[in-house]
Amino acid sequence: MSAPDSRRSIFLGRMPLPERNFIADALRAETVGGVLLLVAAVVALAWANTLSGSYEAIRDFHLGPAALGLDLSIQHWAANGLLAVFFFVAGIELKRELVAGELRDPKAAALPVIAAICGMATPALVYAAVNAIGGGSMRGWAVPTATDIAFALAVLAVIGTSLPSALRAFLLTLAVVDDLFAILIIAVFFTSTINFLALGFAVVGLAIFYLLLRKGVRGWYVYVPLALVIWGLMENSGVHATIAGVAMGLMLRCTRRDGEQQSPGEHIEHLVRPLSAGLAVPLFALFSAGVSISGGAVHEVFTRPETLGVVLGLVVGKALGIFGGTWATARFTKAELNPDLKWPDVFAVASLAGIGFTVSLLIGELAFADDLVLADEIKASVLIGSLLAAVVACVLLKLRNNKYRKLCEEEERDEDHDGIPDIYELDKPEYHLRMAAILEAKAAEHRRLAEVASGTHTGDDGPA
């Protein structure tokens, strides 16, 4: 293969070492959370299909102070309360990507952003086309637009497939941009009536939150109660309460100052991510993924336009949208694909992004809140569509697994044991001096062993 033109940018090339390390740590946490999410979904399905009475009784049980407008069902607390923690982390991720990650450079950000937009628009168009032909409801157009990064990484962990860091970073960036547009969709399209007084007080609370951060005030006992008040006001305003989590996440500083090993945003994300991935999202899945799955229900998913639109949107729309947007953008910006990778690798990751789960379930609940039967069928279609997307992606990724394993080993190799992968030191003279010394020491050891084996080795006391 000819060498890439030095004037052309490299798509899916090597990331700077600090960015690579940060993403690796974040994705490890997401993988663990994804496995818990997968377990929670299986438990919810088993519970709902064996002891449906107890599942529905607990899911629909109400608690909370009615005087504050917070007498909510367990399912509502999970969707609006616990997912606010998830979106708080998403807000921090987005802020970090904008100021220190892949999205800080508009030229570099163009490709993943356009790919993510196409990966949301195409599933919506697929859903709309299916329902226009079949005479279904257009209310669910946003359901297949989301990507669940945790679930996708859990699938990779379960099947034992390793992705090179560039592909994982691309998947993470897609998911971050997905989350941003999902937030906008929820705020714009699923807000019916607004209580402007509650919304106004929520905005005041956010302003206080921002000023305290700028003044350098510290202490969880200040921010946690304030965050709860802001969340409660947002819940009563009619705007989806998860928006409060995103807004507070975006306010955190995610750039490092002199002497800082972590920015405040990175530090808080490190503390809160386990709560989000290990508790909030799995509990949401437990009380949202419990739908009746029978032969008739599966048949309904593939015959009803609303549910078929969701399945095709996730499986077909996501893959074609992300791949098509990526290829077209690279083509017109003359970006050169990393020579270690092929375009089928990009299509495999695009297929993996068809796992919608968490946010798709949330949007499905919001879109069909007045039709509980159809809402459950939409949930079933999200589960089936995500499963099919996972199967397709796994088959495509397994075909290249040997190549991925070699790339990952190359990325991790540290022959001089200095804690920095060798691939990041190839252009440093001191690295080559260290490697020459290591190779010389190994060669001397091999010579000594050969002499010992042949009986010609001479030590301090004469022949061996």
Side-chain angles (χ1 to χ4, degrees):
M1 178 177 181
S2 61
D5 188 337
S6 60
R7 293 170 297 179
R8 302 179 74 176
S9 60
I10 300 296
F11 168 51
L12 296 178
R14 189 195 314 164
M15 294 177 294
L17 184 58
E19 180 72 6
R20 173 189 174 278
N21 291 340
F22 180 87
I23 287 176
D25 292 340
L27 292 180
R28 273 193 288 270
E30 290 284 7
T31 300
V32 174
V35 172
L36 294 175
L37 178 60
L38 188 58
V39 171
V42 172
V43 170
L45 287 171
W47 188 3
N49 284 275
T50 54
L51 301 169
S52 60
S54 64
Y55 179 81
E56 292 171 1
I58 294 176
R59 182 190 65 187
D60 298 333
F61 181 77
H62 278 63
L63 73 161
L68 298 178
L70 297 175
D71 181 20
L72 310 174
S73 68
I74 296 292
Q75 184 180 19
H76 194 120
W77 277 109
N80 286 30
L82 292 178
L83 279 195
V85 179
F86 166 79
F87 278 108
F88 174 70
V89 174
I92 298 175
E93 287 179 338
L94 178 60
K95 177 67 173 290
R96 188 189 173 282
E97 287 291 316
L98 289 170
V99 300
E102 291 289 304
L103 303 181
R104 70 187 183 279
D105 179 2
K107 291 182 179 179
L111 202 149
V113 169
I114 292 174
I117 292 173
C118 292
M120 298 188 80
T122 307
L125 292 173
V126 169
Y127 178 93
V130 171
N131 282 270
I133 295 170
S137 170
M138 292 292 181
R139 287 185 295 168
W141 64 270
V143 175
T145 60
T147 292
D148 193 318
I149 181 68
F151 214 126
L153 293 172
V155 169
L156 292 178
V158 168
I159 66 171
T161 297
S162 296
L163 280 185
S165 58
L167 286 176
R168 286 180 175 251
F170 180 58
L171 182 61
L172 177 62
T173 305
L174 286 174
V176 169
V177 179
D178 254 11
D179 287 341
L180 169 63
F181 284 99
I183 292 158
L184 295 175
I185 287 171
I186 290 170
V188 173
F189 295 99
F190 297 104
T191 299
S192 52
T193 57
I194 297 180
N195 181 333
F196 286 100
L197 181 62
L199 182 60
F201 279 119
V203 172
V204 171
L206 288 170
I208 294 172
F209 190 91
Y210 178 80
L211 288 174
L212 291 173
L213 289 172
R214 296 285 77 78
K215 294 291 184 181
V217 175
R218 297 186 177 185
W220 65 268
Y221 45 84
V222 174
Y223 292 102
V224 171
L226 179 58
L228 291 174
V229 171
I230 294 170
W231 177 88
L233 289 167
M234 195 69 76
E235 171 67 22
N236 280 277
S237 73
V239 177
H240 201 269
T242 54
I243 304 300
V246 177
M248 287 184 277
L250 286 169
M251 291 179 184
L252 295 175
R253 176 170 61 83
C254 292
T255 52
R256 300 179 188 180
R257 293 175 179 168
D258 291 342
E260 286 185 339
Q261 292 185 339
Q262 285 183 317
S263 66
E266 290 171 326
H267 176 66
I268 293 173
E269 181 184 3
H270 180 74
L271 295 176
V272 178
R273 186 184 288 278
L275 175 64
S276 170
L279 181 67
V281 176
L283 280 178
F284 166 75
L286 181 64
F287 293 110
S288 292
V291 294
S292 177
I293 301 293
S294 62
V298 173
H299 178 267
E300 192 77 14
V301 165
F302 289 98
T303 55
R304 184 161 186 163
E306 293 90 348
T307 50
L308 180 61
V310 169
V311 172
L312 292 179
L314 289 171
V315 179
V316 179
K318 269 289 182 183
L320 293 181
I322 292 174
F323 179 79
T326 303
W327 183 87
T329 308
R331 174 73 176 80
F332 289 110
T333 59
K334 297 183 178 179
E336 185 84 23
L337 181 65
N338 183 342
D340 289 329
L341 300 172
K342 306 294 181 185
W343 281 108
D345 298 323
V346 179
F347 186 80
V349 171
S351 299
L352 192 64
I355 301 174
F357 205 70
T358 304
V359 179
S360 291
L361 289 175
L362 175 62
I363 294 176
E365 289 180 2
L366 297 174
F368 298 99
D370 58 347
D371 189 340
L372 297 182
V373 174
L374 182 53
D376 278 349
E377 292 176 353
I378 289 293
K379 289 180 183 180
S381 68
V382 170
L383 295 175
I384 292 172
S386 296
L387 177 61
L388 291 175
V391 170
V392 171
C394 288
V395 171
L396 295 175
L397 292 171
K398 275 294 186 182
L399 294 175
R400 295 268 289 166
N401 195 41
N402 289 336
K403 178 66 175 178
Y404 296 152
R405 186 168 59 249
K406 291 177 182 177
L407 289 174
C408 290
E409 290 172 355
E410 186 67 23
E411 289 178 358
E412 298 296 332
R413 183 175 292 114
D414 184 13
E415 293 283 352
D416 55 351
H417 305 290
D418 64 347
I420 300 175
D422 295 340
I423 198 171
Y424 286 92
E425 299 185 290
L426 293 177
D427 57 347
K428 295 181 180 179
E430 59 270 25
Y431 166 75
H432 293 286
L433 291 173
R434 287 199 304 271
M435 288 305 300
I438 291 171
L439 292 173
E440 177 57 32
K442 288 183 177 180
E445 179 65 13
H446 288 155
R447 288 195 298 270
R448 187 189 70 80
L449 291 174
E451 290 171 358
V452 169
S454 64
T456 60
H457 176 67
T458 302
D460 293 338
D461 301 323

